[in-house]
Amino acid sequence: MEIKISTAQILKVLYILSWIIFIGLCIEACGFIFNTALAFFKTDNIGLFWQQIDLTQLYNFDKGHYFVITTYLSIIAVMKAIMFYLIVKLLHDKKLNLAKPFNPEVVRFIIILSYLTLGIGLFTHFGVTYAQWLYKQGATMPDIYHLRFAGGDVWLFMSVTLYVIAQIFKRGIEIQKENDLTI
């Protein structure tokens, strides 16, 4: 007995998974933003920063540097949430036509994802650079892996890959239009 899983079934599972990831990323982004704002009004909860990232010593070292690091964390988290929002929206609106996958909506979606991943990669790189500079200045804080700054090069690579795929899809649209005209 062979079980066949259709593409439509896989897309339904991916849709549900994308919703779960999107909600988690929204909670993470809101947690970073809320805790950053809260730290400037109520300084006794800094050690309980979102997902147990302890930035108390950085806050005590300099509030401005604390704000910059948490801003990087917030921007990266928001961009990830936007990315999954776009994935959920594409799957929900059923703009992914498997009969004609080469369409302008999909190309625009892939290009926007490539720009978002480029932004995530750049902000991650800037965050790593800034954190390393802070280490040299004598600031004590978690390493880049706990701060979620690791992997910037992967995001940049993914950005280039998505952009190349978008260009391939653009060419597919051109070929599809030429074929429609010849028929």
Side-chain angles (χ1 to χ4, degrees), residues 138-165:
T140 305
M141 53 193 250
D143 62 5
I144 59 172
Y145 297 104
H146 286 95
L147 288 173
R148 293 195 170 77
F149 284 151
D153 54 342
V154 176
W155 286 102
L156 293 172
F157 178 76
M158 186 172 144
S159 173
V160 172
T161 304
L162 286 171
Y163 191 76
V164 168
I165 291 170

Side-chain angles (χ1 to χ4, degrees), residues 1 21 23 27 35 46 58 65 87 114 130 141 156 170:
M1 183 169 120
I21 293 170
I23 291 168
I27 292 169
N35 284 333
I46 297 168
L58 178 61
H65 294 310
I87 292 169
S114 74
Y130 194 77
M141 53 193 250
L156 293 172
K170 271 183 154 176

